Amino acid sequence: MAYYGGMTDSLSDLIACPKCDALHRVPDVDIGAQARCVRCGTVLMAPKDGAMTRIVMLSVTALILMVAAVFFPFLELSVQGLGRKSSVFDAVLAFSDGLMLPLSVAVAALIVVLPVFRFVALIYVFAPMALGWTPAPRAKTVFKLAESVRPWAMAEIFIIGVAVALVKVAGLAQVTLGPAFWAFVGLVIITVLKDNFMCRVTVWQTLNARSPS
Amino acid sequence: MSGDGMANAERAQPVLTARKAGLVGCAECGHVHPKGTPTCSVCGSGLASRDSASLQRVWAWLIAGMVIYIPANVYPMLRTTTFGATQESTIVGGVIDLVDHGSIGVALIVFVASVIIPVSKFIAIAYLALRVQRGKPGTSTHFHLYEFVEFIGRWSMIDVFVVAILSALVQLNFVASINPGIAAVSFALSVAFTMISANSFDPRLIWDAPEGNPV
């Protein structure tokens, strides 16, 4: 871990589990290994080889897929010669009349805006560090925000919603999956991969160690 | 898992927490500071050994979520118009329709996401908050219950997304059209409020022994 010259800053050698407050001495964790809290099992440290580069790559991929997922046709419905294509954008606008408008805004935020915000924020935080530069200005604030919106980015839940909706209309009409559906599935897989690469406490320690104080 | 054995051994011999050591741990990044430090030097978050206002926020959001869950179940979630005839269905009504169509699996997903998860979330959060208020120190079982509630809560949004997708997709004029009902808004709010409630809970309170409890 960090070397503090002649002065032993003992508090920096300690870590308190954010979930249960149990004190631990900062362990030496091998690349690829994990350190878990002795009391509650929360992952405290999980350094991974090239984690930052991978997070940046996956975020960029996810952003590209998101553009495809939003604007290409998502599902196509046909019944008795009538057809209708709809994109994620249409799903967002489904509630856009009158009283339902706030819900439309909320759905847009949950499935598009917040996921996009997270990808952009993570690129902003990790790209300079992956290149070996010092973190970008306000990287800490941006990372904290990105972490706080994490539960609200619901792309993966939207996919399950699509599956349920497909079953519901199956009896009523013929439904075909459009290219955007597969883009969205890819997006969900990449999001899960990326989140698996990120350990919050490790990121904070790296950010702190590399920030000019 | 070998971790279980360790956890049990630790419980027999109380764990030294940052609070017992006279220190404050950051709930965001885990960095340890001397007691009384206002903000974390690493991540800039506000520091509190225990978030003492946490339970008030938990209860406020939880009650709001429970209250608004009532209209979510009473009013229609979907209005389906086929050949001029309009049919309204509530959350439970939609599940029954799915069962009638023979889609038991999907009916189960919707029922679990829209009824079982929200209701058990209300009960679980209230139970955990009451335990903390009565000063009962929790075990890892209580903590895992909290983690589970925090993890599962967002999945209740499924039904709102289903309504959004159906409303966007099924707009075939006279033949068939599906429109959202007012319950979609109430239900979305109920899920959001209980998510905020669970996020407001300071999980460190769950572990505290009575003397370390701020209540």
Side-chain angles (χ1 to χ4, degrees):
Chain A
M1 289 302 300
Y3 176 62
Y4 292 94
M7 221 177 69
T8 38
D9 188 356
S10 63
L11 285 187
S12 298
D13 296 337
L14 294 173
I15 191 167
C17 172
K19 300 289 181 190
C20 76
D21 211 29
L23 267 184
H24 302 78
R25 208 169 293 283
V26 172
D28 281 326
V29 186
D30 293 333
I31 300 286
Q34 278 185 343
R36 285 172 179 271
C37 171
V38 288
R39 182 153 72 163
C40 68
T42 302
V43 176
L44 293 178
M45 291 181 69
K48 290 191 178 79
D49 209 13
M52 287 187 290
T53 317
R54 287 190 213 193
I55 292 170
V56 173
M57 293 302 179
L58 290 171
S59 298
V60 171
T61 315
L63 269 180
I64 295 167
L65 284 173
M66 182 62 103
V67 173
V70 169
F71 294 106
F72 283 124
F74 193 78
L75 296 168
E76 189 178 347
L77 180 86
S78 57
V79 57
Q80 299 180 359
L82 287 166
R84 184 181 165 87
K85 279 183 185 171
S86 88
S87 63
V88 174
F89 202 63
D90 296 326
V92 163
L93 293 177
F95 299 124
S96 63
D97 49 330
L99 268 179
M100 296 291 179
L101 186 65
L103 195 56
S104 207
V105 174
V107 169
L110 298 176
I111 63 181
V112 181
V113 180
L114 291 178
V116 166
F117 168 76
R118 281 200 71 213
F119 300 138
V120 173
L122 293 177
I123 293 171
Y124 180 80
V125 172
F126 291 108
M129 289 205 291
L131 293 169
W133 302 344
T134 53
R138 305 224 162 258
K140 288 178 175 181
T141 319
V142 173
F143 181 66
K144 205 159 70 180
L145 253 173
E147 281 294 282
S148 65
V149 301
R150 191 173 179 161
W152 302 96
M154 299 191 181
E156 72 273 33
I157 298 165
F158 182 71
I159 282 291
I160 306 292
V162 172
V164 174
L166 284 181
V167 173
K168 278 201 170 190
V169 289
L172 195 71
Q174 174 94 35
V175 183
T176 334
L177 299 172
F181 177 80
W182 302 109
F184 221 93
V185 171
L187 185 76
V188 167
I189 295 170
I190 284 180
T191 310
V192 172
L193 277 177
K194 171 177 65 63
D195 287 346
N196 280 345
F197 267 106
M198 249 176 31
C199 164
R200 190 190 286 194
V201 177
T202 314
V203 170
W204 277 119
Q205 288 183 336
T206 318
L207 264 174
N208 194 45
R210 300 222 192 156
S211 290
S213 48
Chain B
M1 291 266 291
S2 60
D4 292 336
M6 272 177 75
N8 287 333
E10 285 296 331
R11 213 176 301 139
Q13 182 191 37
V15 170
L16 178 66
T17 61
R19 152 172 291 204
K20 273 192 207 144
L23 301 165
V24 180
C26 175
E28 172 77 21
C29 69
H31 203 77
V32 181
H33 300 269
K35 204 174 192 169
T37 314
T39 50
C40 177
S41 62
V42 172
C43 67
S45 305
L47 287 177
S49 181
R50 296 296 179 272
D51 188 350
S52 47
S54 160
L55 285 181
Q56 290 177 27
R57 272 180 285 135
V58 169
W59 281 116
W61 288 112
L62 182 65
I63 291 166
M66 284 160 87
V67 168
I68 208 156
Y69 187 65
I70 299 168
N73 276 281
V74 173
Y75 290 108
M77 191 88 172
L78 274 182
R79 290 200 320 274
T80 315
T81 312
T82 28
F83 298 109
T86 301
Q87 190 197 347
E88 295 190 325
S89 63
T90 57
I91 292 174
V92 177
V95 173
I96 294 170
D97 284 349
L98 279 170
V99 173
D100 286 346
H101 289 136
S103 317
I104 307 287
V106 177
L108 206 66
I109 292 176
V110 177
F111 187 69
V112 168
S114 312
V115 180
I116 307 268
I117 293 178
V119 172
S120 35
K121 235 180 111 171
F122 297 147
I123 298 169
I125 297 176
Y127 167 71
L128 289 172
L130 282 174
R131 272 190 71 95
V132 169
Q133 279 175 332
R134 298 204 176 137
K136 292 182 186 164
T139 62
S140 57
T141 316
H142 298 109
F143 174 71
H144 291 312
L145 176 65
Y146 165 78
E147 270 196 319
F148 186 69
V149 164
E150 207 191 17
F151 163 78
I152 205 77
R154 40 208 295 279
W155 287 92
S156 296
M157 267 316 177
I158 288 179
D159 223 21
V160 176
F161 293 145
V162 171
V163 173
I165 297 156
L166 289 178
S167 311
L169 194 61
V170 188
Q171 292 297 344
L172 301 168
N173 300 326
F174 184 70
V175 178
S177 70
I178 293 182
N179 290 298
I182 194 76
V185 179
S186 332
F187 187 73
L189 284 178
S190 175
V191 176
F193 289 169
T194 37
M195 275 177 70
I196 300 173
S197 174
N199 287 346
S200 309
F201 208 117
D202 183 350
R204 296 174 298 185
L205 290 168
I206 295 174
W207 302 92
D208 285 340
E211 68 271 16
N213 202 299
V215 176

